[in-house]
Amino acid sequence: MMPATHGNAGQNNAIICLGCWDQMHVPIPIRGPLALPFRAFGITRSKMNPNICERAFRYVKKQNHVTSNATILFADIRGFTTLSERMDPVRLSNLVRIFHDRCAQAIWAHDGIVNKQMGDGLMAIFNFPIRIADHASAAIMAARDIQEHCTEALDSLKSNLDGLPDHLLGVGVGIHTGDVEIGEFSSFRSDFTAIGGAVNLAARLESQAGVGEILISPATAALATELAAGTEARMLQLKGIEHQVAAQVLLKR
Ligand SMILES: [Zn+2]
């Protein structure tokens, strides 16, 4: 019998790769004594999520790319340009490190992967390669954890920044759920990612999120009714998107 792969969200301690199990039903040991011989053959834990191995994406590589329903999350440090003008580079890099560290912990706790890190921002995917029944809610819960944990960390830095307005130092998050193409879209480097209109919409929402805000699309809100209940709606005209989008705004707790 295989151990249950899920139900232990929040702990980075899976014994077998959750990605390989969900995608191919292959048990690949990634922790414990059984993992040692596998490690000798180069099977290592992925930097995108410590509960999966780097081979979890092999399933996709074989098929070139796959279409998957997924929830995409973008987060970044708001006002980063202003910050970078006021902070010395060492302190600034410390802040970015704290941001990425807190975000990754929150995303992994809800079985997502940190797919890309871009300076002061990142992109996460929920529902691939680890399957999540309610990936819209998982992404929202990760976003809440991001806001909570980043605020704690950033507040401790604030005292060092003379006269920095409150609305400048914080994190914005955008979330959207839809079909995406998952695969490697580069012929010269290994660059597994998700592409498609759904990814763009999540990125656009994030660009409109203020400090402490989580903007979720109507599609995500419709799937995560409990978490979206009672939240403020905000009409947004997003770049490259014809119609206005009624985003739901979740605020930092
Ligand atoms: Zn794996």
Side-chain angles (χ1 to χ4, degrees):
M1 276 297 289
M2 289 307 306
T5 55
H6 296 297
N8 63 342
Q11 287 162 33
N12 298 323
N13 59 2
I15 300 298
I16 63 158
C17 168
L18 301 186
C20 286
W21 182 251
D22 283 2
Q23 296 301 323
M24 296 170 279
H25 273 262
V26 178
I28 306 287
I30 54 169
R31 284 188 184 82
L34 283 176
L36 289 171
F38 281 84
R39 216 171 298 156
F41 286 104
I43 293 182
T44 50
R45 293 201 287 267
S46 171
K47 290 185 171 65
M48 295 191 205
N49 181 315
N51 281 333
I52 63 174
C53 77
E54 283 174 357
R55 296 198 171 190
F57 307 116
R58 209 188 227 185
Y59 164 79
V60 172
K61 286 176 187 168
K62 267 189 207 156
Q63 306 189 26
N64 195 16
H65 60 91
V66 295
T67 305
S68 178
N69 192 252
T71 299
I72 307 296
L73 177 155
F74 280 86
D76 83 345
I77 302 171
R78 302 276 76 188
F80 188 74
T81 312
T82 312
L83 274 178
S84 59
E85 287 160 2
R86 294 190 184 206
M87 266 182 159
D88 68 82
V90 174
R91 207 179 271 166
L92 192 70
S93 59
N94 187 38
L95 180 140
V96 172
R97 189 184 53 75
I98 288 170
F99 165 77
H100 281 298
D101 188 59
R102 298 294 194 279
C103 288
Q105 293 298 334
I107 290 157
W108 296 339
H110 297 281
D111 283 339
I113 60 168
V114 180
N115 180 234
K116 284 184 184 174
Q117 291 176 302
M118 308 148 280
D120 63 313
L122 60 79
M123 168 181 160
I125 303 173
F126 293 82
N127 203 32
F128 196 93
I130 304 174
R131 297 275 173 222
I132 310 169
D134 185 359
H135 46 93
S137 295
I140 293 171
M141 288 190 284
R144 285 169 150 192
D145 289 354
I146 285 172
Q147 288 294 8
E148 189 177 333
H149 299 150
C150 284
T151 301
E152 271 172 27
L154 295 179
D155 278 351
S156 65
L157 290 171
K158 230 177 230 174
S159 53
N160 298 321
L161 296 163
D162 308 331
L164 188 78
D166 256 15
H167 67 272
L168 263 184
L169 191 55
V171 174
V173 184
I175 300 174
H176 176 53
T177 306
D179 283 342
V180 295
E181 292 295 307
I182 290 175
E184 282 188 330
F185 303 96
S186 168
S187 55
F188 57 88
R189 54 171 290 193
S190 185
D191 199 14
F192 164 88
T193 191
I195 60 169
V199 179
N200 294 340
L201 180 52
R204 298 289 184 221
L205 283 171
E206 184 254 24
S207 72
Q208 299 295 311
V211 163
E213 287 183 346
I214 302 161
L215 297 191
I216 67 173
S217 72
T220 303
L223 291 166
T225 47
E226 258 178 57
L227 294 173
T231 57
E232 171 206 336
R234 187 181 297 168
M235 293 305 293
L236 297 172
Q237 188 66 59
L238 302 173
K239 195 179 155 197
I241 293 159
E242 194 184 345
H243 300 289
Q244 285 203 324
V245 174
Q248 296 299 127
V249 186
L250 281 75
L251 296 171
K252 187 168 77 184
R253 280 171 292 187

